[in-house]
Amino acid sequence: MNETPRQTPMRTVTEKNGEEISSPTETSLQADRIQEAAPPSHLHSSREEHLESSYATPHIPPIPYTIFTSSHRRVITLILILTMIASPLTATIYLPLLHLLAAHFHVSLQAINLTLTLYIVFHALSPLLFATASDISGRRPIYLITFFSLGAIAVLAIAYGVVADLCVPSERGSMQAPTMGAANLAVCIGPVVGGWVALGSGRYQWVFWCLVIYGGSIVAIVGLGLPETARNVVGNGERQARWWGKTWWSMLTVWRRDRKEVGDVTGWSADKEMKRNREVTQVESPSIKQSFKIPSPLAAIRIIFWKDTALVLWMAGSPYAIWYCVQASIPPIYRDIYGFNEFHIGLAYLTGGFGTVLGGYANGKLMDWNYRVTARQIGHTVDKVSGDNLNHFPIEKARARGFWYILGVYIGALAGYGWAIEFHAHESVPLILQFVLAAICTAFQQTFNALLVDIFPASPSTAAASGNVTRCALSALAVAILQPMVEGMGRGWYFTLLSILSGGRAIIANCLINTRGMTRRHQRLKINEVN
């Protein structure tokens, strides 16, 4: 084989049988020539840095969790606030009418209380269908449908889904606070409106006409301004929603623009060209046949029986049932013991309403703070752009952090409420205890419903619907046995029994959530992967 010399900048290499042999003389000579011709070291390093930077991999920004801006979220939050009032308003506006209805229909108060139980049953069943459908077909069309049917009581579960669509886990408390606070605000507005109408007209029919007027107004507001947010339909907002997912205002704007372009002589405009480009490049949502599917109501029922969710559901549902029981007990207490009329009975709900609003707002801030503290304790950096992956984050500990102290106050306030009424204490005492109980029960419901959404990120409204079923079932049971238990054992022992059953089990559930919640969540995920 002929030897082929190959010149390199630093040495001469002779290849022979695949081996490299260098010549020391030629190498040293070339090294001297290169040293003389070499540019200054600082220029050489600058050129290397330039070459490295030119061939470096370009920085790819992370995909944002949502493209909805802060101003968009503020508008959506305002619309959610108005819709959230509808569900509790339909229930609490009815409470001051209990004695009026009993006298009008010549039935007992216990029989009228059964109408509350029936309402709560529908309150539990409606979200099974509508909330699950919103995870599949989108939030907006289901919102509009709910106000034309029994599903108006499903807006709470759907709203949890909207919050999960728009907010990363570390910031959900801040958006949940005003929306859940609005629902709690209706708790105090409803009885005042109902009591004022009943006292002013003496007829219960006007109460239901008020609900018709409010419901029609909300349909118009949702239709005009609420965009589609479901991640299954529009992703993080980049995918185009089909016509049923577009606001009436945006459709009107497009229609007016197209009408304006009709008079264009050339038939071409920059707006038309941009519209064509968007239609070519934009990824659209699934087709009508793919989007509208009949959901299975069993999806929310199945969630109840998982080990990690059963404890969370008790923590969210039990205090809600207790607070509903306290509300149902207000009319006979303040009428028979303190001599209030219908309007004054409505005013008696205001302290509890203020407690729910202030408690919800404060707890929303506390939720986000607990999340940041938990992340700092484990050395985790919170991702506020794309959102944290909760598979390896102890979200159970973050949400349940500090609830031991709240549980102690809850048990004491509930038992104290019963004994204050039993011994006919000054009316200010039960009113103050109503404020405390309302704030605490709101904190429980808000925090653990958020946890329920966190551990089911793919179907947040379905998860919230399972929570709705649990708390409504417990509320129906508590209201159904309220009057017979009070007559049999007195209000003091009745509310003491409730504090032991609800608070004692909550202590056990909170302990298990902190110690075994994440492990049981991983077990559930593994079972789902296998199936």
Side-chain angles (χ1 to χ4, degrees):
M1 179 182 294
N2 295 329
E3 296 182 355
T4 306
R6 186 182 63 185
Q7 300 290 329
T8 67
M10 299 296 297
R11 61 181 180 174
T12 301
V13 179
T14 302
E15 295 183 359
K16 182 176 182 180
N17 297 331
E19 298 180 356
E20 296 183 356
I21 304 173
S22 60
S23 171
T25 305
E26 292 181 3
T27 301
S28 59
L29 291 175
Q30 291 206 17
D32 293 337
R33 289 195 296 268
I34 292 173
Q35 184 67 26
E36 293 174 359
S41 59
H42 66 277
L43 295 178
H44 182 69
S45 60
S46 299
R47 184 170 57 185
E48 286 183 347
E49 290 175 359
H50 174 72
L51 291 174
E52 289 178 0
S53 62
S54 63
Y55 288 101
T57 303
H59 174 68
I60 300 176
I63 299 175
Y65 186 82
T66 179
I67 65 169
F68 288 97
T69 62
S70 298
S71 59
H72 288 149
R73 288 199 294 268
R74 282 193 291 268
V75 173
I76 294 173
T77 300
L78 178 60
I79 296 175
L80 288 182
I81 287 173
L82 296 175
T83 61
M84 294 285 279
I85 293 176
S87 177
L89 186 65
T90 57
T92 57
I93 200 173
Y94 182 76
L95 294 176
L97 307 177
L98 297 180
H99 281 277
L100 181 64
L101 292 171
H104 179 81
F105 292 105
H106 305 288
V107 296
S108 66
L109 184 61
Q110 174 63 16
I112 296 298
N113 280 342
L114 291 177
T115 64
L116 288 175
T117 302
L118 183 62
Y119 172 84
I120 295 172
V121 169
F122 282 103
H123 200 295
L125 296 178
S126 176
L128 293 179
L129 181 65
F130 289 104
T132 305
S134 73
D135 284 332
I136 300 174
S137 304
R139 317 288 182 208
R140 177 180 164 80
I142 304 303
Y143 253 125
L144 293 173
I145 292 172
T146 57
F147 280 92
F148 291 101
S149 64
L150 291 170
I153 50 185
V155 295
L156 291 172
I158 301 175
Y160 275 103
V162 176
V163 173
D165 294 335
L166 300 179
C167 297
V168 295
S170 61
E171 299 178 348
R172 286 174 184 168
S174 298
M175 187 172 182
Q176 274 189 0
T179 54
M180 299 302 120
N184 297 323
L185 179 64
V187 174
C188 65
I189 292 177
V192 174
V193 174
W196 177 71
V197 172
L199 183 65
S201 65
R203 302 184 63 183
Y204 65 89
Q205 290 90 341
W206 281 105
V207 172
F208 298 101
W209 280 114
C210 290
L211 294 177
V212 171
I213 295 171
Y214 184 77
S217 303
I218 294 302
V219 168
I221 293 172
V222 171
L224 285 171
L226 183 65
E228 182 56 68
T229 63
R231 303 183 73 82
N232 187 47
V233 178
V234 296
N236 66 348
E238 292 181 342
R239 289 207 299 264
Q240 176 87 15
R242 293 192 176 270
W243 62 267
W244 63 82
K246 298 178 180 178
T247 63
W248 297 343
W249 180 260
S250 65
M251 295 172 69
L252 178 63
T253 302
V254 172
W255 178 77
R256 292 180 61 185
R257 185 181 61 193
D258 292 344
R259 284 288 299 270
K260 185 178 180 180
E261 292 176 357
V262 169
D264 191 356
V265 178
T266 62
W268 180 93
S269 67
D271 290 338
K272 282 185 178 180
E273 189 65 23
M274 291 174 64
K275 183 177 178 181
R276 292 192 192 99
N277 293 335
R278 285 198 303 267
E279 289 175 350
V280 172
T281 59
Q282 196 165 27
V283 180
E284 289 193 344
S285 301
S287 63
I288 297 178
K289 188 174 181 181
Q290 293 173 328
S291 294
F292 283 97
K293 299 177 182 178
I294 300 176
S296 171
L298 298 178
I301 299 295
R302 284 194 294 266
I303 293 176
I304 298 175
F305 297 99
W306 290 107
K307 290 181 180 180
D308 60 324
T309 55
L311 299 172
V312 178
L313 290 171
W314 176 263
M315 294 293 290
S318 175
Y320 177 89
I322 296 302
W323 175 237
Y324 204 90
C325 191
V326 170
Q327 288 179 296
S329 70
I330 287 176
I333 289 173
Y334 289 94
R335 182 187 182 93
D336 300 338
I337 298 177
Y338 299 107
F340 285 16
N341 59 28
E342 281 79 5
F343 181 66
H344 290 157
I345 290 173
L347 293 178
Y349 285 89
L350 287 177
T351 57
F354 291 143
T356 57
V357 173
L358 295 178
Y361 177 80
N363 187 69
K365 301 295 184 182
L366 181 63
M367 284 173 58
D368 291 347
W369 184 75
N370 283 337
Y371 190 100
R372 293 192 296 269
V373 171
T374 304
R376 188 163 57 248
Q377 288 175 346
I378 64 174
H380 174 78
T381 302
V382 177
D383 187 353
K384 295 184 178 181
V385 178
S386 301
D388 295 320
N389 184 354
L390 300 181
N391 288 339
H392 302 288
F393 184 83
I395 188 64
E396 292 83 0
K397 289 185 178 180
R399 298 302 187 207
R401 187 176 182 274
F403 266 83
W404 298 110
Y405 309 104
I406 300 177
L407 273 170
V409 178
Y410 167 72
I411 295 172
L414 184 56
Y417 176 77
W419 289 110
I421 298 167
E422 184 73 22
F423 290 108
H424 296 188
H426 190 270
E427 59 262 28
S428 62
V429 177
L431 288 173
I432 292 173
L433 290 174
Q434 284 171 213
F435 175 88
V436 175
L437 286 170
I440 292 176
C441 292
T442 300
F444 274 102
Q445 180 190 355
Q446 184 175 317
T447 299
F448 290 97
N449 272 327
L451 176 57
L452 198 62
V453 170
D454 291 331
I455 60 180
F456 287 92
S459 53
S461 289
T462 303
S466 68
N468 193 81
V469 171
T470 304
R471 67 174 180 264
C472 288
L474 294 173
S475 299
L477 177 62
V479 172
I481 67 174
L482 170 62
Q483 198 63 28
M485 293 289 286
V486 167
E487 293 175 356
M489 61 191 308
R491 293 186 175 92
W493 285 112
Y494 173 70
F495 284 102
T496 300
L497 178 63
L498 289 182
S499 68
I500 295 173
L501 294 177
S502 176
R505 293 182 180 182
I507 291 174
I508 298 173
N510 193 59
C511 178
L512 293 175
I513 289 172
N514 275 283
T515 57
R516 301 183 183 180
M518 187 174 180
T519 302
R520 290 180 173 179
R521 170 160 56 97
H522 288 164
Q523 291 174 351
R524 170 174 56 83
L525 294 175
K526 289 181 180 179
I527 293 174
N528 288 337
E529 289 178 0
V530 172
N531 294 334

